[in-house]
Amino acid sequence: MDSFTTWRDMFIQLEEINSRPEPFGFYTAADLWTDEHTSEQMLAYHLNADIDVSSRRGEFIDRSVEWIASRFSIGADTRIADFGCGPGLYANRLAKVGASVIGIDFSKCSIKHAREATREVGLTIEYINQNYLDFETEHRFDLILMIMCDFCALSPSQRRIMLAKFHSMLLPGGSVLLDVYSQSAFKQRKEASSYGVNLLDGFWSAEKYYGFLNTFKYDDTMVVLDKYTIVESARKRTVYNWLQYFTPESLWREFEVAGFAEQELYADVAGAPFDKKASEFAIIAQKK
């Protein structure tokens, strides 16, 4: 192979790495949540109570659960489904105040930790290791949670699936509580490109790799993509981290189409008053 062919091939590869896909054109959640190395990294972020990465800070979660328990009058007869439960940080706390809880998460590593933590404190929680887009059950719930802006990572069609699933799984008068990124947060995002050896301090692999991060912003749909291209000695992979940003009106339209009747807006899932300038907001939507 001559040098011209080598450089031309490299140029083509770099063009592909830096290319802008159509919004939600690829879905690679499995690469993040089922890869052994990255799932262990995500679990470590979950369990670090001092940072807001995979989970909220421990102090916030305590306040949030206290507010949820009060707002929904949680007791022994309350049935809760926690979609994207991670290592059970909310589920365990809610079970301690008496609720019957089911947790669903894609990460085998997180579910394993959640089950172990549950056994250690003598709680009874059903944890299910599954992509929640595929989850089905005969159980019906008083409250469904999707916390840490998980809803934002779903495409429009996936969000329709989830809201229809939520509606069918709720008891009459039951509610959904979830949080999302706001229009204010979208305005703060900027397009950028970066590159590094072992990008994000080895997050993507235990072996040496070269990492490319391209951030694309889609103004007409309020979507941001963080596109990670990871090049190792034996493979190259691309992970697409999509985030949908919402206004209260755009979020409520999706709930209304799915058959929900009432809404309440808050600044967060700990019940702080709604603030249109905040980077996130939470919604409670009730089944008709």
Side-chain angles (χ1 to χ4, degrees):
M1 180 180 296
D2 59 40
S3 61
F4 174 77
T5 302
T6 302
W7 286 112
R8 184 179 63 187
D9 290 344
M10 182 181 295
F11 180 84
I12 292 171
Q13 289 289 319
L14 289 171
E15 283 284 282
E16 178 187 344
I17 287 170
N18 290 280
S19 65
R20 174 192 297 265
E22 290 298 312
F24 295 103
F26 302 91
Y27 183 65
T28 56
D31 293 335
L32 181 62
W33 295 109
T34 62
D35 178 86
E36 182 176 353
H37 178 80
T38 56
S39 64
E40 288 177 353
Q41 300 297 304
M42 294 297 286
L43 177 60
Y45 286 139
H46 273 301
L47 298 178
N48 188 335
D50 297 323
I51 59 174
D52 288 314
V53 180
S54 297
S55 298
R56 307 293 184 197
R57 297 173 188 267
E59 179 273 334
F60 178 88
I61 296 174
D62 289 337
R63 283 194 293 112
S64 179
V65 169
E66 182 179 359
W67 176 74
I68 291 169
S70 174
R71 169 59 184 79
F72 296 99
S73 301
I74 289 175
D77 296 328
T78 307
R79 288 170 282 185
I80 300 175
D82 185 2
F83 283 74
C85 65
L89 301 180
Y90 272 85
N92 281 359
R93 287 169 168 85
L94 289 165
K96 286 179 181 178
V97 297
S100 173
V101 186
I102 289 179
I104 309 100
D105 200 276
F106 210 169
S107 170
K108 182 178 180 180
C109 191
S110 289
I111 289 294
K112 180 176 181 290
H113 179 91
R115 288 170 176 162
E116 291 172 351
T118 300
R119 285 195 295 269
E120 287 176 3
V121 295
L123 295 172
T124 301
I125 300 174
E126 182 180 0
Y127 283 113
I128 299 168
N129 180 207
Q130 188 178 17
N131 184 340
Y132 49 52
L133 288 164
D134 302 323
F135 174 68
E136 299 291 344
T137 181
E138 296 300 318
H139 294 292
R140 294 296 177 261
F141 304 98
D142 300 288
L143 176 63
I144 289 175
L145 304 176
M146 181 176 272
I147 290 176
M148 200 61 187
C149 298
D150 262 28
F151 194 68
C152 297
L154 303 175
S155 70
S157 61
Q158 289 170 333
R159 296 197 301 270
R160 286 193 293 271
I161 290 170
M162 289 310 307
L163 291 181
K165 195 183 294 286
F166 290 167
H167 193 272
S168 68
M169 291 181 180
L170 283 172
L171 292 162
S175 298
V176 173
L177 170 63
L178 58 79
D179 51 1
V180 295
Y181 294 114
S182 69
Q183 184 178 38
S184 178
F186 179 75
K187 291 177 179 178
Q188 296 174 30
R189 295 297 307 269
K190 305 295 182 184
E191 292 202 339
S193 299
S194 60
Y195 155 80
V197 179
N198 295 337
L199 185 71
L200 298 182
D201 297 322
F203 174 84
W204 294 105
S205 176
E207 305 298 326
K208 182 179 180 180
Y209 63 87
Y210 296 90
F212 300 82
L213 168 59
N214 295 92
T215 298
F216 299 107
K217 192 173 179 182
Y218 303 79
D219 290 302
D220 55 338
T221 55
M222 284 215 317
V223 171
V224 171
L225 167 64
D226 289 320
K227 177 185 175 184
Y228 295 91
T229 305
I230 310 303
V231 182
E232 301 173 68
S233 61
R235 62 172 176 167
K236 184 187 83 170
R237 55 196 167 121
T238 304
V239 178
Y240 298 85
N241 183 25
W242 299 99
L243 288 177
Q244 176 74 63
Y245 293 72
F246 292 91
T247 64
E249 295 77 16
S250 66
L251 180 60
W252 177 242
R253 279 196 297 271
E254 296 193 13
F255 273 91
E256 196 171 28
V257 168
F260 290 86
E262 298 182 21
Q263 66 164 329
E264 299 173 22
L265 295 178
Y266 298 90
D268 55 37
V269 292
F274 175 75
D275 179 1
K276 65 179 181 180
K277 295 181 181 179
S279 60
E280 302 172 10
F281 65 94
I283 187 172
I284 294 174
Q286 190 174 50
K287 180 175 179 176
K288 289 181 180 179

